[in-house]
Tab-separated table of all heavy atoms in Angstrom:
chain	number	residue	atom	x	y	z
F	9	GLU	N	0.811	-1.217	0.000
F	9	GLU	CA	0.000	0.000	0.000
F	9	GLU	C	0.849	1.273	0.000
F	9	GLU	O	0.304	2.373	-0.019
F	9	GLU	CB	-0.922	0.004	1.240
F	9	GLU	CG	-1.982	-1.086	1.225
F	9	GLU	CD	-2.942	-0.924	0.047
F	9	GLU	OE1	-3.502	0.179	-0.115
F	9	GLU	OE2	-3.101	-1.880	-0.726
F	10	ARG	N	2.173	1.136	0.013
F	10	ARG	CA	3.028	2.324	0.058
F	10	ARG	C	3.067	3.038	-1.285
F	10	ARG	O	2.873	2.414	-2.335
F	10	ARG	CB	4.442	1.937	0.482
F	10	ARG	CG	4.555	1.652	1.975
F	10	ARG	CD	5.902	1.067	2.328
F	10	ARG	NE	6.033	-0.303	1.846
F	10	ARG	CZ	6.969	-1.146	2.248
F	10	ARG	NH1	7.880	-0.754	3.113
F	10	ARG	NH2	7.018	-2.373	1.777
F	11	PRO	N	3.341	4.370	-1.274
F	11	PRO	CA	3.429	5.126	-2.531
F	11	PRO	C	4.538	4.569	-3.420
F	11	PRO	O	5.572	4.119	-2.938
F	11	PRO	CB	3.762	6.556	-2.070
F	11	PRO	CG	3.326	6.622	-0.650
F	11	PRO	CD	3.523	5.238	-0.103
F	12	ALA	N	4.307	4.613	-4.722
F	12	ALA	CA	5.293	4.109	-5.683
F	12	ALA	C	6.518	5.013	-5.704
F	12	ALA	O	6.411	6.244	-5.609
F	12	ALA	CB	4.685	4.019	-7.061
F	13	PHE	N	7.673	4.420	-5.826
F	13	PHE	CA	8.955	5.125	-5.923
F	13	PHE	C	9.402	5.216	-7.374
F	13	PHE	O	10.001	6.197	-7.811
F	13	PHE	CB	9.990	4.362	-5.085
F	13	PHE	CG	11.416	4.704	-5.361
F	13	PHE	CD1	11.944	5.928	-4.975
F	13	PHE	CD2	12.252	3.802	-6.013
F	13	PHE	CE1	13.279	6.252	-5.223
F	13	PHE	CE2	13.577	4.100	-6.262
F	13	PHE	CZ	14.092	5.337	-5.874
F	14	ILE	N	9.083	4.184	-8.162
F	14	ILE	CA	9.510	4.137	-9.554
F	14	ILE	C	8.470	3.417	-10.400
F	14	ILE	O	7.805	2.494	-9.930
F	14	ILE	CB	10.880	3.422	-9.693
F	14	ILE	CG1	11.394	3.483	-11.139
F	14	ILE	CG2	10.799	1.974	-9.196
F	14	ILE	CD1	12.808	2.948	-11.309
F	15	LYS	N	8.344	3.870	-11.636
F	15	LYS	CA	7.518	3.158	-12.618
F	15	LYS	C	8.462	2.448	-13.578
F	15	LYS	O	9.252	3.082	-14.277
F	15	LYS	CB	6.640	4.135	-13.400
F	15	LYS	CG	5.828	3.445	-14.495
F	15	LYS	CD	5.079	4.453	-15.361
F	15	LYS	CE	4.333	3.743	-16.489
F	15	LYS	NZ	3.639	4.700	-17.382
F	16	LEU	N	8.406	1.128	-13.582
F	16	LEU	CA	9.194	0.356	-14.534
F	16	LEU	C	8.398	0.248	-15.832
F	16	LEU	O	7.196	0.008	-15.811
F	16	LEU	CB	9.488	-1.042	-13.988
F	16	LEU	CG	10.349	-1.115	-12.714
F	16	LEU	CD1	10.531	-2.563	-12.292
F	16	LEU	CD2	11.696	-0.454	-12.931
F	17	HIS	N	9.088	0.442	-16.939
F	17	HIS	CA	8.419	0.388	-18.236
F	17	HIS	C	8.451	-1.010	-18.840
F	17	HIS	O	7.611	-1.345	-19.674
F	17	HIS	CB	9.079	1.390	-19.191
F	17	HIS	CG	9.006	2.800	-18.701
F	17	HIS	ND1	7.817	3.497	-18.625
F	17	HIS	CD2	9.976	3.639	-18.233
F	17	HIS	CE1	8.049	4.716	-18.146
F	17	HIS	NE2	9.345	4.813	-17.896
F	18	TYR	N	9.465	-1.816	-18.406
F	18	TYR	CA	9.562	-3.176	-18.937
F	18	TYR	C	10.247	-4.058	-17.900
F	18	TYR	O	11.458	-3.940	-17.713
F	18	TYR	CB	10.357	-3.179	-20.247
F	18	TYR	CG	10.323	-4.506	-20.968
F	18	TYR	CD1	9.287	-4.816	-21.830
F	18	TYR	CD2	11.342	-5.438	-20.788
F	18	TYR	CE1	9.262	-6.040	-22.498
F	18	TYR	CE2	11.322	-6.661	-21.450
F	18	TYR	CZ	10.288	-6.945	-22.300
F	18	TYR	OH	10.250	-8.151	-22.954
F	19	PRO	N	9.505	-4.883	-17.162
F	19	PRO	CA	8.055	-5.065	-17.196
F	19	PRO	C	7.337	-3.860	-16.592
F	19	PRO	O	7.894	-3.180	-15.742
F	19	PRO	CB	7.845	-6.319	-16.351
F	19	PRO	CG	8.986	-6.296	-15.382
F	19	PRO	CD	10.142	-5.734	-16.132
F	20	LYS	N	6.124	-3.622	-17.032
F	20	LYS	CA	5.395	-2.431	-16.617
F	20	LYS	C	4.801	-2.636	-15.230
F	20	LYS	O	3.907	-3.461	-15.028
F	20	LYS	CB	4.278	-2.137	-17.619
F	20	LYS	CG	3.599	-0.801	-17.377
F	20	LYS	CD	2.589	-0.497	-18.476
F	20	LYS	CE	1.909	0.842	-18.219
F	20	LYS	NZ	0.919	1.159	-19.281
F	21	MET	N	5.311	-1.869	-14.245
F	21	MET	CA	4.758	-1.925	-12.881
F	21	MET	C	5.339	-0.793	-12.041
F	21	MET	O	6.410	-0.249	-12.345
F	21	MET	CB	5.024	-3.277	-12.219
F	21	MET	CG	6.474	-3.655	-12.086
F	21	MET	SD	6.641	-5.293	-11.302
F	21	MET	CE	8.383	-5.622	-11.546
F	22	TYR	N	4.606	-0.446	-10.978
F	22	TYR	CA	5.044	0.566	-10.014
F	22	TYR	C	5.548	-0.136	-8.761
F	22	TYR	O	4.929	-1.109	-8.311
F	22	TYR	CB	3.882	1.490	-9.634
F	22	TYR	CG	3.386	2.374	-10.758
F	22	TYR	CD1	2.372	1.931	-11.618
F	22	TYR	CD2	3.914	3.641	-10.954
F	22	TYR	CE1	1.906	2.740	-12.645
F	22	TYR	CE2	3.459	4.462	-11.981
F	22	TYR	CZ	2.454	3.997	-12.819
F	22	TYR	OH	2.015	4.798	-13.840
F	23	LEU	N	6.673	0.354	-8.208
F	23	LEU	CA	7.243	-0.268	-7.011
F	23	LEU	C	7.677	0.784	-5.994
F	23	LEU	O	8.151	1.858	-6.369
F	23	LEU	CB	8.462	-1.132	-7.388
F	23	LEU	CG	8.213	-2.335	-8.306
F	23	LEU	CD1	9.540	-2.972	-8.693
F	23	LEU	CD2	7.299	-3.355	-7.646
F	24	CYS	N	7.531	0.449	-4.713
F	24	CYS	CA	8.055	1.279	-3.626
F	24	CYS	C	9.560	1.010	-3.507
F	24	CYS	O	10.076	0.076	-4.126
F	24	CYS	CB	7.347	0.942	-2.317
F	24	CYS	SG	7.703	-0.735	-1.716
F	25	PRO	N	10.298	1.797	-2.709
F	25	PRO	CA	11.751	1.580	-2.600
F	25	PRO	C	12.128	0.167	-2.156
F	25	PRO	O	13.069	-0.422	-2.696
F	25	PRO	CB	12.180	2.618	-1.553
F	25	PRO	CG	11.158	3.690	-1.648
F	25	PRO	CD	9.868	2.997	-1.970
F	26	GLU	N	11.413	-0.381	-1.183
F	26	GLU	CA	11.740	-1.706	-0.664
F	26	GLU	C	11.528	-2.793	-1.710
F	26	GLU	O	12.386	-3.665	-1.905
F	26	GLU	CB	10.896	-2.009	0.588
F	26	GLU	CG	11.243	-1.175	1.807
F	26	GLU	CD	10.710	0.252	1.754
F	26	GLU	OE1	9.862	0.550	0.871
F	26	GLU	OE2	11.146	1.080	2.577
F	27	HIS	N	10.371	-2.748	-2.393
F	27	HIS	CA	10.093	-3.790	-3.379
F	27	HIS	C	10.922	-3.604	-4.643
F	27	HIS	O	11.255	-4.585	-5.325
F	27	HIS	CB	8.596	-3.850	-3.702
F	27	HIS	CG	7.799	-4.535	-2.640
F	27	HIS	ND1	6.931	-3.887	-1.808
F	27	HIS	CD2	7.779	-5.844	-2.252
F	27	HIS	CE1	6.396	-4.748	-0.961
F	27	HIS	NE2	6.901	-5.939	-1.207
F	28	PHE	N	11.292	-2.356	-4.961
F	28	PHE	CA	12.200	-2.149	-6.087
F	28	PHE	C	13.587	-2.718	-5.771
F	28	PHE	O	14.214	-3.355	-6.633
F	28	PHE	CB	12.320	-0.658	-6.436
F	28	PHE	CG	13.392	-0.401	-7.461
F	28	PHE	CD1	13.234	-0.809	-8.782
F	28	PHE	CD2	14.587	0.201	-7.093
F	28	PHE	CE1	14.240	-0.606	-9.720
F	28	PHE	CE2	15.593	0.408	-8.024
F	28	PHE	CZ	15.425	0.009	-9.347
F	29	THR	N	14.058	-2.500	-4.536
F	29	THR	CA	15.358	-3.040	-4.129
F	29	THR	C	15.358	-4.565	-4.235
F	29	THR	O	16.318	-5.164	-4.732
F	29	THR	CB	15.699	-2.600	-2.691
F	29	THR	OG1	15.861	-1.179	-2.670
F	29	THR	CG2	16.979	-3.255	-2.192
F	30	GLU	N	14.272	-5.189	-3.776
F	30	GLU	CA	14.156	-6.653	-3.883
F	30	GLU	C	14.176	-7.094	-5.342
F	30	GLU	O	14.853	-8.068	-5.703
F	30	GLU	CB	12.858	-7.128	-3.222
F	30	GLU	CG	12.871	-7.043	-1.704
F	30	GLU	CD	11.553	-7.511	-1.109
F	30	GLU	OE1	10.746	-8.114	-1.857
F	30	GLU	OE2	11.324	-7.261	0.088
F	31	TYR	N	13.424	-6.375	-6.180
F	31	TYR	CA	13.364	-6.690	-7.609
F	31	TYR	C	14.755	-6.589	-8.240
F	31	TYR	O	15.185	-7.480	-8.984
F	31	TYR	CB	12.396	-5.709	-8.288
F	31	TYR	CG	12.573	-5.582	-9.780
F	31	TYR	CD1	11.978	-6.480	-10.665
F	31	TYR	CD2	13.333	-4.534	-10.318
F	31	TYR	CE1	12.147	-6.347	-12.039
F	31	TYR	CE2	13.510	-4.400	-11.684
F	31	TYR	CZ	12.908	-5.306	-12.545
F	31	TYR	OH	13.083	-5.179	-13.906
F	32	PHE	N	15.473	-5.510	-7.940
F	32	PHE	CA	16.793	-5.261	-8.526
F	32	PHE	C	17.784	-6.348	-8.116
F	32	PHE	O	18.487	-6.917	-8.960
F	32	PHE	CB	17.283	-3.889	-8.055
F	32	PHE	CG	18.526	-3.402	-8.748
F	32	PHE	CD1	18.440	-2.499	-9.790
F	32	PHE	CD2	19.789	-3.824	-8.328
F	32	PHE	CE1	19.596	-2.036	-10.421
F	32	PHE	CE2	20.934	-3.374	-8.956
F	32	PHE	CZ	20.844	-2.473	-10.006
F	33	GLU	N	17.829	-6.648	-6.822
F	33	GLU	CA	18.785	-7.654	-6.324
F	33	GLU	C	18.457	-9.048	-6.838
F	33	GLU	O	19.364	-9.839	-7.133
F	33	GLU	CB	18.812	-7.610	-4.797
F	33	GLU	CG	19.420	-6.311	-4.274
F	33	GLU	CD	19.245	-6.116	-2.779
F	33	GLU	OE1	18.622	-6.996	-2.132
F	33	GLU	OE2	19.712	-5.093	-2.250
F	34	ARG	N	17.170	-9.340	-6.976
F	34	ARG	CA	16.757	-10.636	-7.521
F	34	ARG	C	17.177	-10.746	-8.990
F	34	ARG	O	17.604	-11.813	-9.447
F	34	ARG	CB	15.244	-10.794	-7.379
F	34	ARG	CG	14.724	-12.178	-7.740
F	34	ARG	CD	13.289	-12.371	-7.276
F	34	ARG	NE	12.376	-11.397	-7.854
F	34	ARG	CZ	11.771	-10.436	-7.156
F	34	ARG	NH1	11.979	-10.317	-5.854
F	34	ARG	NH2	10.950	-9.590	-7.738
F	35	LYS	N	17.120	-9.622	-9.694
F	35	LYS	CA	17.504	-9.624	-11.107
F	35	LYS	C	19.015	-9.818	-11.269
F	35	LYS	O	19.470	-10.522	-12.175
F	35	LYS	CB	17.063	-8.315	-11.762
F	35	LYS	CG	16.947	-8.401	-13.274
F	35	LYS	CD	16.183	-7.215	-13.820
F	35	LYS	CE	16.057	-7.307	-15.337
F	35	LYS	NZ	15.327	-6.153	-15.897
F	36	VAL	N	19.806	-9.206	-10.375
F	36	VAL	CA	21.256	-9.421	-10.407
F	36	VAL	C	21.563	-10.887	-10.120
F	36	VAL	O	22.378	-11.518	-10.809
F	36	VAL	CB	21.982	-8.519	-9.388
F	36	VAL	CG1	23.470	-8.873	-9.322
F	36	VAL	CG2	21.818	-7.053	-9.753
F	37	LYS	N	20.907	-11.442	-9.110
F	37	LYS	CA	21.119	-12.847	-8.743
F	37	LYS	C	20.773	-13.767	-9.910
F	37	LYS	O	21.504	-14.720	-10.211
F	37	LYS	CB	20.262	-13.195	-7.523
F	37	LYS	CG	20.493	-14.588	-6.949
F	37	LYS	CD	19.706	-14.752	-5.646
F	37	LYS	CE	19.975	-16.098	-4.992
F	37	LYS	NZ	19.375	-17.210	-5.744
F	38	ARG	N	19.673	-13.450	-10.595
F	38	ARG	CA	19.255	-14.271	-11.735
F	38	ARG	C	20.248	-14.152	-12.896
F	38	ARG	O	20.540	-15.138	-13.580
F	38	ARG	CB	17.860	-13.844	-12.196
F	38	ARG	CG	17.233	-14.810	-13.190
F	38	ARG	CD	15.780	-14.479	-13.429
F	38	ARG	NE	15.628	-13.189	-14.088
F	38	ARG	CZ	14.773	-12.247	-13.710
F	38	ARG	NH1	14.006	-12.433	-12.647
F	38	ARG	NH2	14.679	-11.111	-14.364
F	39	THR	N	20.803	-12.948	-13.099
F	39	THR	CA	21.803	-12.738	-14.154
F	39	THR	C	23.055	-13.559	-13.866
F	39	THR	O	23.612	-14.210	-14.757
F	39	THR	CB	22.167	-11.244	-14.259
F	39	THR	OG1	21.001	-10.494	-14.614
F	39	THR	CG2	23.244	-11.013	-15.310
């Protein structure tokens, strides 16, 4: 329910700082 920090264009979604950090680190791990 927190305000969005960033809008990702690909994949398209809005994320707060915490969930964006999780997304980013998960993507590095997957790479």
Side-chain angles (χ1 to χ4, degrees):
E9 294 298 307
R10 284 171 289 195
F13 164 71
I14 185 173
K15 176 186 177 182
L16 296 179
H17 300 292
Y18 189 86
K20 188 175 180 180
M21 59 181 170
Y22 293 90
L23 297 174
C24 66
E26 291 77 12
H27 283 110
F28 172 70
T29 295
E30 288 179 13
Y31 160 84
F32 189 99
E33 292 170 359
R34 188 167 59 248
K35 201 166 180 181
V36 173
K37 186 173 184 289
R38 191 170 66 227
T39 298

